[in-house]
Amino acid sequence: DWPASKQQLRESLLQESDEERRMDLLRHFKHTQTFRLLAQDIEGLMTLETLSDHLTELADTVIDVSLELCWRDIQTKNGGENKSLKFAVIGYGKLGGKELGYVSDLDMIFLYDDDRPNAETQYATLARKLISSLSTLTSAGTLYETDLRLRPDGVSGLLVSSFAAFEDYQRNRAWVWEH
């Protein structure tokens, strides 16, 4: 029950004020869920497609909750502003295709739809914080390796793109395989 698991994870993390402890709790959650899926996989209780769907749902849950925590931390550091989040994490590759395996990395791009003057800077900070949250090695391990090379203009491109810039890229400069 992924929605219930997400809510339970969210509640336990919101009670924890120490960022490193929250990172470890996320990693323990992922390890626990992965172990449960592995046990069912070994017993032959699910197809490869079902397993991939669950591993992808696990990644989606971890990304979603991590994003909420990162945004909350940024808002707290900015004087408690409670700006709405106009930001999307788009999964490409195995994440986007719901084909994750046990050791898959996460191919992602980041888009925002916010016309405030400092929006790009703020969302770039959020993206960097999210990447760090997912890939930092703690005593409980890492969550996921991330791959951001598929963003518009590749590694030379901006970390975050506005929806308008992404649309322009897709219409005018993207390779055929990117569609």
Side-chain angles (χ1 to χ4, degrees):
D1 184 356
W2 291 111
S5 294
K6 182 190 288 188
Q7 186 58 34
Q8 190 175 32
L9 174 63
R10 184 182 286 120
E11 288 170 6
S12 68
L13 291 171
L14 288 175
Q15 294 174 7
E16 183 59 57
S17 60
D18 181 70
E19 187 173 0
E20 189 169 328
R21 178 74 180 126
R22 285 194 318 248
M23 291 173 75
D24 281 343
L25 286 171
L26 273 165
R27 282 149 179 76
H28 291 302
F29 172 82
K30 182 198 176 214
H31 296 320
T32 299
Q33 298 305 321
T34 302
F35 183 76
R36 287 180 178 156
L37 293 170
L38 179 61
Q40 292 175 38
D41 184 20
I42 290 171
E43 288 296 316
L45 299 176
M46 64 179 73
T47 66
L48 180 58
E49 183 178 298
T50 302
L51 175 63
S52 293
D53 288 349
H54 283 298
L55 289 170
T56 302
E57 189 68 35
L58 173 58
D60 286 343
T61 298
V62 168
I63 291 167
D64 191 36
V65 172
S66 296
L67 182 63
E68 288 176 30
L69 291 170
C70 292
W71 183 243
R72 188 187 74 176
D73 288 349
I74 288 171
Q75 294 302 298
T76 301
K77 288 178 184 171
N78 289 337
E81 299 174 16
N82 193 9
K83 302 268 187 214
S84 61
L85 182 61
K86 299 178 178 182
F87 184 82
V89 178
I90 308 297
Y92 278 12
K94 292 183 185 282
L95 175 62
K98 292 178 67 173
E99 301 170 339
L100 285 183
Y102 291 113
V103 293
S104 295
D105 67 353
L106 304 180
D107 294 309
M108 302 179 295
I109 65 167
F110 306 110
L111 304 177
Y112 67 92
D113 187 23
D114 192 333
D115 56 3
R116 289 178 295 132
N118 67 339
E120 183 176 338
T121 302
Q122 190 171 36
Y123 290 122
T125 300
L126 176 59
R128 282 191 296 277
K129 188 167 182 60
L130 177 62
I131 293 163
S132 176
S133 175
L134 295 173
S135 60
T136 296
L137 178 63
T138 73
S139 60
T142 59
L143 284 169
Y144 294 98
E145 295 297 321
T146 58
D147 186 347
L148 308 173
R149 294 175 294 172
L150 297 176
R151 65 186 184 264
D153 297 316
V155 290
S156 63
L158 298 173
L159 182 59
V160 297
S161 298
S162 68
F163 281 127
F166 183 71
E167 180 181 11
D168 177 66
Y169 174 79
Q170 287 293 318
R171 290 186 188 278
N172 300 309
R173 296 186 322 277
W175 292 88
V176 172
W177 62 266
E178 290 180 278
H179 296 276

